[in-house]
Amino acid sequence: MVALANVQYGLSNEDIRTVQRALIARGHMIPAGPTGRFEDQTRAAYAEEQRAQGYVGADADGIPGCKSLSELGRQSGFAVDCRSAGSASSGAAGRLSLSQVTYQDPGNRTGQAAMQAYARTACSLTGMDPAYGVPALVTISKRESAYNEARWRVNTTDANAHGPIMPDRHPQNCSRGATQCIPPTFAEYHQAGTATTPYDVVAEMCATINYVRARYKVNQSGSNFAALVQQADPGRPPRGY
């Protein structure tokens, strides 16, 4: 059984490996092979599969949906669980202790297009409408880290920059990653099934969604995200969140 929620851009798991093998068997090129990580090559191959199924234009975007993945599964011999896709989660089930937070940088991509793709995955995992969540998260990532640029991934100068030195050689409480969560916030609002490092863009964006829902009362769809969180609103000046 392959879970749709597991087959999303930026994630790494065995369900993705199963899908990659199916795509390759159907003639879609993934030069790196079935790595188990959903990155650009897999997205391009999945877009080819969508076009083969009759999707056109923006509908062939390389992002799995229930219908297209189920058809791939039917052709390739695996079942698909769509029930968990887009399900709501408060993050409580994924909460970490501070000692469980890790500090390795997986080397996620930078730039606006990459942030849009990671944000779509985060919205899928947390049940937020991407029409609202993606632009809000991308705006935050632009303002907080210049779209995950390496030199802005750790803030060592603000009031949070204190605590013991961690394996990434920075104080524990420094804000980190594309949306600049401090580790205690990342741990509290961590999304089950995502990476345990705030440097992972999908994991941190999920934690950001769970955080703004709890603190700012952003609703399930995210329709009031930009209205309630100024840092997510491109029409207003930046403001820390």
Side-chain angles (χ1 to χ4, degrees):
M1 179 72 72
V2 169
L4 174 59
N6 287 344
V7 189
Q8 300 294 331
Y9 191 94
L11 299 186
S12 297
N13 54 63
E14 287 304 310
D15 284 354
I16 290 171
R17 198 185 311 276
T18 296
V19 170
Q20 289 171 326
R21 287 171 175 156
L23 291 169
I24 292 168
R26 285 174 58 77
H28 307 306
M29 292 290 293
I30 302 178
T35 61
R37 184 162 183 84
F38 199 131
E39 291 282 17
D40 289 348
Q41 291 179 7
T42 301
R43 185 174 180 181
Y46 199 90
E48 289 181 2
E49 172 62 24
Q50 288 171 320
R51 287 190 287 271
Q53 292 184 21
Y55 293 85
V56 297
D59 290 332
D61 60 0
I63 302 299
C66 183
K67 185 176 179 180
S68 63
L69 187 60
S70 295
E71 177 59 21
L72 177 62
R74 188 184 70 80
Q75 296 283 346
S76 305
F78 62 82
V80 174
D81 177 10
C82 295
R83 292 172 299 174
S84 58
S87 61
S89 172
S90 66
R95 184 177 296 137
L96 304 173
S97 67
L98 191 54
S99 65
Q100 290 176 304
V101 175
T102 57
Y103 296 90
Q104 75 275 16
D105 188 335
N108 288 164
R109 295 189 304 140
T110 62
Q112 184 176 11
M115 296 303 101
Q116 289 169 337
Y118 291 131
R120 280 192 290 271
T121 299
C123 288
S124 175
L125 292 172
T126 58
M128 181 168 280
D129 187 335
Y132 304 116
V134 169
L137 290 165
V138 171
T139 298
I140 291 174
S141 72
K142 177 182 180 180
R143 291 173 165 180
E144 294 286 345
S145 67
Y147 302 130
N148 200 39
E149 283 296 329
R151 69 179 181 138
W152 301 115
R153 283 181 202 157
V154 184
N155 188 333
T156 60
T157 62
D158 72 5
N160 291 315
H162 59 81
I165 301 301
M166 304 313 291
D168 63 355
R169 301 182 181 179
H170 299 294
Q172 185 176 50
N173 216 49
C174 287
S175 54
R176 292 167 166 86
T179 58
Q180 291 287 286
C181 287
I182 61 173
T185 299
F186 177 77
E188 177 72 14
Y189 296 102
H190 178 259
Q191 181 75 20
T194 64
T196 57
T197 170
Y199 290 112
D200 183 278
V201 178
V202 169
E204 187 169 66
M205 284 184 169
C206 285
T208 297
I209 289 171
N210 293 329
Y211 166 70
V212 299
R213 282 174 170 162
R215 177 171 180 180
Y216 295 99
K217 308 306 179 187
V218 171
N219 60 27
Q220 186 64 30
S221 71
S223 62
N224 59 353
F225 195 158
L228 295 180
V229 183
Q230 185 168 323
Q231 189 72 325
D233 184 355
R236 291 188 285 169
R239 182 179 181 180
Y241 74 111

